């Protein structure tokens, strides 16, 4: 779990203009907050102790600002306070993500447009990866289009999925913010509640935008966190980030690109041809979000003492541990289900990619170990997601899952291994990862016999309950629910 479950704290205090920004921020200041919202151009140049500081917060905010920036700053403030949309100001999130990308990464590398040569190299790598994967998995290609993205293009393409992941959490937080006052007082406090909702949407938007923008400087494709962030049927690589990834590996750039293309293409096959998998993972994230409880007494105290001229006060309260996961069997089950599913996805990709790469790439072992450590130890992608919703998408048991899938290949062949993805009830469980040999050599479930019994029972009832067959051939069309509980129990 993340140390700050929702992580909605202040962003890193790193000025946009480096040391010069620090010098400017200290002129005449007394250590007050420099940039409570993280908006460019909305710092507090004079500090709290500057001209009109504590007595006039607007003077503190704008008093010594360059007149050329004053209009833009007021415009951004107006947009923040006038926002009336959902729980997250996604327009602001997009703008801040793009601004973060434009600033470049900590090592000074700026985003650039993808050239024709880079596009061609990525397309060829993804095409070749699909050819290699054809020999090691029964799942067909999941790619309709292969693309090379800049960091800014990655932000644009993945924001719809971030919205789907984050909105349920933000909705819960927003409802808590609006429900802390007694019902008879809410009408009287309408303007205050409206401002709180606008500020909450702005805070989420600012934090998410900054996190996604930072992540854009790290990812190498669209599946780095084990979830499909890009549009369906589209496989993508980021040439600029691939160059950074392979910089210190001592491996030829063509091999690095091919290995990462194999991983991207393998993820695409899994999500394209296992129709229940996406909803299973996203449903587990949402179930976990539902188990978050809000410390309403702390929130009531914040609302009761909220100073409209001190907007960072609410942000600091959010950072202080107001939202915590419930220690309930349901919450633990949702977390375990998500972690196991992530391990199975990453373990399958790891095993399949290694089988395809080992005979062809001399650096396959080294790159496999590098990627395993990056994923299992909680790389930038997992940390960013933890900042957004307090949940680390970390496949802690990746190695166990990879060994299990490799053993299944030896014991049952490629078709027998990949056939387990037909239904969530057929997949290994967390306990199976403890005893992989027991699962591998266990008698396989014969769903045809179950189908036969269900069909006979339906005929006896006059066919009233019979339905079309599901993806595994079982009656009733049961693909399993979004939470992955499925139809029949595993026996």
């Amino acid at each position: 779990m993340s140390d700050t479950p929702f992580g909605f704290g202040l962003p890193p205090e790193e000025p946009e203009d480096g040391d010069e920004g620090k010098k400017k921020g200290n002129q005449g200041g007394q250590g007050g907050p420099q940039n409570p919202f993280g908006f460019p151009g909305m710092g507090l140049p004079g500090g709290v102790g500057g001209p009109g500081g504590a007595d006039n917060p607007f003077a503190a905010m704008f008093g010594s600002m360059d007149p050329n920036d004053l209009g833009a700053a007021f415009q951004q403030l107006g947009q923040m306070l006038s926002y009336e949309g959902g729980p997250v100001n996604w327009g602001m999130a997009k703008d801040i993500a793009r601004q973060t990308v434009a600033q470049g990464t900590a090592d000074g590398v700026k985003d650039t447009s993808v050239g024709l040569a880079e596009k061609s190299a990525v397309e060829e790598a993804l095409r070749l990866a699909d050819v290699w994967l054809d020999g090691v998995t029964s799942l067909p290609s999941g790619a309709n289009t292969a693309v090379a993205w800049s960091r800014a293009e990655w932000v644009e393409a993945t924001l719809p999925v971030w919205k789907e992941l984050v909105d349920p959490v933000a909705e819960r937080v927003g409802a808590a913010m609006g429900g802390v006052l007694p019902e008879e007082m809410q009408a009287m406090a309408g303007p205050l509640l409206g401002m709180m909702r606008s500020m909450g949407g702005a805070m989420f938007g600012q934090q998410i935008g900054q996190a996604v923008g930072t992540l854009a400087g790290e990812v190498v494709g669209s599946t780095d966190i084990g979830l499909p962030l890009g549009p369906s049927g589209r496989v993508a690589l980021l040439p600029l980030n691939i160059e950074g990834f392979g910089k210190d590996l001592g491996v030829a750039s063509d091999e690095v690109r091919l290995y990462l293309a194999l991983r991207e293409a393998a993820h695409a096959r899994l999500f394209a041809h296992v129709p229940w998998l996406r909803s299973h993972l996203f449903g587990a994230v949402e179930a976990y979000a539902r188990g978050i409880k809000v410390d309403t007494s702390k929130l009531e105290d914040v609302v009761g003492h909220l100073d409209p001229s001190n907007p960072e006060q609410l942000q600091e309260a959010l950072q202080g541990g107001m939202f915590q996961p419930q220690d309930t069997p349901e919450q633990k089950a949702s977390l375990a289900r998500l972690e196991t599913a992530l391990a199975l996805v990453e373990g399958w990709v790891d095993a399949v990619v290694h089988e395809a790469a080992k005979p062809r790439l001399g650096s396959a072992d080294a790159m496999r170990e590098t990627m395993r450590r990056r994923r299992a130890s909680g790389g930038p992608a997992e940390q960013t997601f933890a900042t957004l919703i307090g949940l680390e998408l970390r496949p802690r048991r990746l190695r166990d899952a990879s060994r299990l899938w490799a053993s299944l290949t030896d014991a049952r062949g490629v078709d027998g291994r990949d056939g387990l993805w037909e239904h969530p009830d057929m997949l290994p469980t967390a306990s199976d990862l403890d005893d992989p040999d027991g699962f591998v050599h266990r008698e396989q479930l014969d769903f045809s016999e179950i189908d036969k019994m269900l069909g006979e029972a339906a005929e006896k009832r006059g066919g009233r309950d019979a339905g079309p067959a599901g993806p595994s051939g079982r009656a009733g069309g049961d693909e399993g629910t979004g939470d992955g509980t499925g139809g029949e129990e595993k026996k």
Side-chain angles (χ1 to χ4, degrees):
M1 292 303 301
S2 172
D3 291 336
T4 55
F6 279 81
F8 302 133
L10 294 174
E13 296 182 359
E14 183 66 28
E16 296 178 13
D17 47 358
D19 292 337
E20 289 300 315
K22 294 178 183 178
K23 293 175 184 177
K24 293 177 184 178
N26 289 332
Q27 292 175 359
Q30 300 295 325
Q34 297 298 313
N35 192 350
F37 291 103
F39 302 151
M42 284 192 67
L44 308 185
V48 174
D55 295 331
N56 188 341
F58 288 97
M61 183 176 290
F62 304 120
S64 58
M65 180 177 288
D66 186 331
N68 294 328
D69 296 332
L70 190 58
F74 271 116
Q75 183 179 10
Q76 288 182 316
L77 181 61
Q79 290 174 349
M80 179 191 72
L81 294 179
S82 63
Y83 175 71
E84 297 180 351
V88 178
N89 189 330
W90 285 103
M92 179 178 290
K94 178 180 175 180
D95 290 344
I96 291 178
R98 293 294 299 262
Q99 291 166 7
T100 303
V101 165
Q103 291 169 13
T105 52
D107 57 4
V109 177
K110 299 279 189 179
D111 191 26
T112 59
S113 298
V114 179
L116 291 177
E118 292 173 317
K119 289 181 179 179
S120 178
V122 165
E123 291 170 359
E124 175 61 21
L126 289 166
R127 184 198 66 78
L128 185 57
D130 253 343
V131 173
W132 290 2
L133 289 172
D134 283 339
V136 296
T137 175
S138 62
L139 299 179
S141 174
N144 299 324
T145 309
V147 296
W149 282 338
S150 67
R151 293 167 179 172
E153 288 172 328
W154 182 90
V155 168
E156 294 280 353
T158 62
L159 270 180
V161 179
W162 289 117
K163 185 177 188 297
E164 186 177 350
L165 287 168
V166 174
D167 267 352
V169 182
E171 186 71 46
R172 181 166 178 79
V173 175
M177 290 174 64
V180 295
L181 293 179
E183 186 173 339
E184 61 272 13
M185 293 182 61
Q186 291 192 17
M188 299 174 59
L192 175 61
L193 292 176
M195 185 185 72
M196 287 178 59
R197 283 191 292 269
S198 297
M199 289 171 58
M203 285 188 300
F204 274 100
Q206 185 268 331
Q207 291 290 89
I208 292 166
Q210 188 176 59
V212 171
T214 301
L215 182 56
E218 305 280 355
V219 294
V220 296
S222 67
T223 56
D224 283 36
I225 66 170
L227 295 174
L229 295 179
S232 178
R234 184 172 299 178
V235 287
L237 293 176
L238 283 71
L240 183 61
N241 292 353
I242 289 176
E243 182 180 349
F245 176 87
K247 186 176 180 180
D248 299 322
L249 293 181
V251 178
S253 59
D254 288 348
E255 286 201 18
V256 174
R257 187 188 305 111
L258 259 173
Y259 189 84
L260 297 177
L262 282 167
R263 288 185 53 84
E264 179 78 2
H267 277 104
R269 289 182 181 228
L270 200 56
F271 285 110
H273 299 291
V274 182
W276 56 264
L277 182 58
R278 187 182 190 277
S279 62
H280 175 74
L281 290 170
F282 281 56
V285 172
E286 187 170 355
Y288 184 85
R290 287 197 301 268
I292 295 293
K293 65 180 179 180
V294 180
D295 186 346
T296 55
S297 63
K298 187 171 182 179
L299 187 55
E300 288 171 1
D301 183 66
V302 172
V303 173
H305 298 88
L306 184 64
D307 180 1
S309 69
N310 187 14
E312 69 271 19
Q313 178 185 10
L314 186 57
Q315 192 173 13
E316 291 171 355
L318 293 173
Q319 185 184 16
M322 187 180 299
F323 309 102
Q324 299 288 346
Q326 292 186 13
D327 188 19
T328 63
E330 294 78 12
Q331 184 74 342
K332 291 178 180 177
S334 64
L335 179 59
R337 184 170 68 247
L338 179 59
E339 288 185 338
T340 300
L342 286 170
L344 292 174
V345 168
E346 289 300 297
W348 183 88
V349 168
D350 178 80
V352 167
V353 167
H354 187 68
E355 189 176 351
K358 179 68 172 176
R360 301 176 173 93
L361 301 178
S363 59
D365 288 333
M367 287 192 287
R368 182 190 203 187
E369 186 60 27
T370 297
M371 187 57 70
R372 278 181 165 187
R373 290 179 179 178
R374 175 183 168 105
R375 290 294 286 123
S377 64
E382 291 79 16
Q383 293 166 8
T384 298
F385 199 85
T387 299
L388 295 180
I389 67 167
L391 184 63
E392 293 181 348
L393 288 180
R394 185 182 302 180
R396 303 177 189 277
R397 308 195 64 182
L398 186 155
R399 294 175 189 269
D400 293 336
S402 181
R403 282 193 293 269
L404 187 148
W405 288 119
S407 297
L408 281 167
T409 306
D410 294 337
R412 304 184 187 181
V414 169
D415 291 342
R417 177 200 66 197
D418 293 347
L420 294 178
W421 289 106
E422 288 183 5
H423 192 276
D425 283 354
M426 300 174 67
L427 287 179
T429 63
S431 59
D432 292 326
L433 294 180
D434 296 328
D435 180 23
D437 289 338
F439 179 84
V440 169
H441 299 294
R442 185 182 308 157
E443 184 177 354
Q444 300 182 50
L445 295 175
D446 188 350
F447 283 109
S448 62
E449 289 299 317
I450 297 177
D451 289 342
K452 182 178 179 181
M453 289 188 292
L454 290 174
E456 292 174 351
E459 289 178 3
K460 291 179 180 179
R461 293 193 300 267
R464 290 191 301 271
D465 297 326
S472 63
R474 291 179 287 170
D478 180 16
E479 295 185 22
T481 61
D483 63 6
T485 53
E488 291 85 19
E489 292 183 358
K490 203 170 188 178
K491 300 190 188 297

